[in-house]
Amino acid sequence: MLEKSKKFAVVSLGCKVNRAEVDSYSARMIAEGWKMADVQDADFVIINTCTVTSVADKKTRQTVRKVCRDSNAQKIIVTGCASAIDPEVYEQIDSRIEIVPKADMQNAEAEALRVLAGDEFRSRASLKIQDGCNNACTYCIVHTARGRAWSMPHEQVEEQVKCMLDAGIKEVVLSGVDIGAYNDNGFGLEDLCKSLLEIIGDRVARIRISSIEPNNVSDDLIDIIAGADGKICRHLHMPLQSGSSKVLKEMARHYNADEYLEVVNRLKKKIPSIALSTDIIVGFPGESDADFKDSIEVSKKCGFMKIHVFPYSKRQGTPAAERPDQINDEVKNDRAKVLRELSDELAVKDFKSRAESIEDVLVENEAQGRSESYHLLDLPEGFTPGDLIKVQL
């Protein structure tokens, strides 16, 4: 598929799953002797695209054009969700572009992952264990771009995690489009977490679950995290999308606001130190002031340590884009501003609640580290990137 060359560059747009895929591509290439470089210096470039919203789609097209302008690469590989939906759009941008389906962008083999202890991956590595989605949220086109849900065989996950740990990686991030739906012939996410804990054993290392839908947070999973002593991070990113049950129903989400709060209460009862982050869309078609107020109130009750705020953006091909009751940009931007300010307040409140507690912190660079609860900390000098150290907050 690709001609071997001296230097390559990767560009990842969108979600953490795309980031995990890029890690995999990069690992394989480095293992085969290629060197990672900036776009300007690369002999070829891989761009992993995103099309979740019209804004993301526009950014993807802009990025591809910019790479084509800035790079002297002989070949530019465009893969990912945007190219799956509109391949001809990208083929027309530049003669060097080749559209490659995700299925053809092979996962890195276990041996390739041994390079992950190198400079490019010193802090953490992501592993995509699941792809595709069987849901059809009315604002989303990912289920069309990525297809039906698929899970990596658990033996392969275990082998690759062991390989990463052997290479010196201290944090492995399990990624997927709908990771809670992981199912390898009845071997679910809970079973996988148990087996990975056995592989970690006494190592100074941890697993982080990247994102999980609230309806997939089972009592068994909560118990496993509670008993893992930080080997599975006591932090979950659990998308809310709206605090209004009416809006959630119109989004075709599989829970209402009360059910989401019930999951949060179960988590906090079993894991008092749990940190929760989330995604919320503001300005979904038909969202009233009362609906937005519900999102504010639910966020306060949950005590999120971080809210990723997304002003609703129409994505052609989705039911929500066809609705006549679209919210104007001024209202969406005002609501986003209010919610981002709340996110900042809640982040401070969550961090203060952890004062004097001790958490394992992954050193990301010479000056900063990421706590188990996912707070970014300033660190004194003297620590080595990639180390997992205990820090009193």
Side-chain angles (χ1 to χ4, degrees):
M1 180 180 62
L2 297 175
E3 295 180 4
K4 198 167 184 178
S5 57
K6 296 178 181 178
K7 296 179 181 179
F8 75 97
V10 290
V11 178
S12 180
L13 299 163
C15 66
K16 292 182 179 179
V17 180
N18 274 15
R19 181 68 254 175
E21 290 166 346
V22 162
D23 282 355
S24 180
Y25 307 154
S26 300
R28 187 175 73 248
M29 290 179 232
I30 295 170
E32 293 177 3
W34 299 340
K35 300 295 183 183
M36 187 176 284
D38 294 331
V39 166
Q40 293 85 345
D41 300 323
D43 296 303
F44 71 83
V45 182
I46 296 176
I47 308 174
N48 205 5
T49 63
C50 177
T51 188
V52 67
T53 65
S54 60
V55 172
D57 206 49
K58 180 179 179 181
K59 181 179 178 181
T60 292
R61 292 194 299 271
Q62 292 172 339
T63 300
V64 173
R65 292 190 181 100
K66 185 175 188 304
V67 169
C68 291
R69 288 196 306 269
D70 294 348
S71 176
N72 293 317
Q74 298 170 6
K75 184 177 287 187
I76 298 171
I77 300 297
V78 177
T79 187
C81 294
S83 63
I85 297 295
D86 297 308
E88 64 283 352
V89 169
Y90 297 95
E91 289 173 335
Q92 296 170 5
I93 291 176
D94 193 290
S95 61
R96 295 171 294 167
I97 287 178
E98 178 182 346
I99 305 299
V100 180
K102 275 190 186 293
D104 294 338
M105 296 293 292
Q106 302 169 2
N107 288 328
E109 299 298 330
E111 183 62 30
L113 289 166
R114 296 189 188 280
V115 306
L116 290 173
D119 289 343
E120 292 84 0
F121 300 93
R122 282 194 297 182
S123 294
R124 63 172 56 82
S126 297
L127 178 63
K128 185 180 73 174
I129 66 169
Q130 185 276 337
D131 203 350
C133 183
N134 295 339
N135 302 315
C137 297
T138 60
Y139 54 82
C140 185
I141 203 166
V142 169
H143 61 284
T144 301
R146 287 184 176 265
R148 302 287 292 176
W150 167 90
S151 299
M152 179 186 288
H154 71 90
E155 297 92 347
Q156 188 176 349
V157 177
E158 292 158 359
E159 178 186 12
Q160 295 198 9
V161 169
K162 183 178 184 301
C163 189
M164 290 176 174
L165 298 177
D166 288 346
I169 294 297
K170 297 297 192 298
E171 180 177 302
V172 178
V173 182
L174 302 181
S175 299
V177 172
D178 186 8
I179 196 172
Y182 179 88
N183 190 328
D184 175 26
N185 296 316
F187 194 95
L189 182 62
E190 296 87 350
D191 302 307
L192 184 63
C193 287
K194 289 178 183 178
S195 68
L196 295 182
L197 283 172
E198 291 180 4
I199 291 171
I200 292 175
D202 295 331
R203 302 176 196 247
V204 180
R206 67 191 185 194
I207 298 293
R208 189 180 294 277
I209 297 172
S210 63
S211 179
I212 187 167
E213 295 292 322
N215 47 296
N216 288 326
V217 179
S218 66
D219 286 334
D220 284 347
L221 181 62
I222 294 173
D223 288 339
I224 292 167
I225 297 172
D229 193 28
K231 297 288 186 180
I232 299 177
C233 290
R234 285 163 286 203
H235 161 255
L236 289 178
H237 184 82
M238 200 165 68
L240 171 61
Q241 306 303 8
S242 175
S244 164
S245 292
K246 174 182 78 71
V247 173
L248 289 170
K249 184 177 181 180
E250 293 172 357
M251 288 176 167
R253 302 290 288 169
H254 294 287
Y255 54 88
N256 59 35
D258 288 339
E259 289 167 340
Y260 188 99
L261 286 168
E262 191 271 332
V263 175
V264 171
N265 290 335
R266 283 193 287 123
L267 280 163
K268 291 189 174 183
K269 182 178 179 180
K270 285 289 185 71
I271 315 170
S273 64
I274 189 78
L276 298 172
S277 55
T278 197
D279 299 331
I280 296 179
I281 297 170
V282 297
F284 184 79
E287 182 189 62
S288 66
D289 289 340
D291 294 327
F292 176 64
K293 184 178 179 182
D294 286 342
S295 291
I296 294 291
E297 293 306 313
V298 171
S299 296
K300 290 178 179 177
K301 289 178 181 177
C302 293
F304 296 121
M305 56 77 58
K306 174 69 176 179
I307 302 173
H308 296 270
V309 182
F310 298 94
Y312 172 74
S313 171
K314 288 198 296 184
R315 181 55 175 91
Q316 295 305 313
T318 63
E322 305 302 319
R323 288 181 53 162
D325 51 351
Q326 301 291 326
I327 307 297
N328 70 58
D329 288 344
E330 184 179 357
V331 171
K332 285 190 286 189
N333 292 335
D334 287 345
R335 290 176 182 173
K337 181 175 183 292
V338 170
L339 197 55
R340 288 183 179 122
E341 289 173 351
L342 176 63
S343 176
D344 292 341
E345 293 172 10
L346 293 177
V348 172
K349 184 176 181 180
D350 182 85
F351 189 77
K352 285 184 176 180
S353 74
R354 302 174 187 280
E356 307 304 321
S357 67
I358 295 175
E359 288 192 23
D360 287 337
V361 173
L362 182 69
V363 182
E364 295 195 342
N365 54 57
E366 294 179 355
Q368 293 180 312
R370 184 74 63 176
S371 70
E372 180 188 349
S373 56
Y374 212 64
H375 286 284
L376 187 63
L377 309 179
D378 292 329
L379 298 175
E381 296 181 359
F383 294 111
T384 303
D387 282 352
L388 195 59
I389 60 174
K390 292 192 179 296
V391 174
Q392 187 176 43
L393 303 187

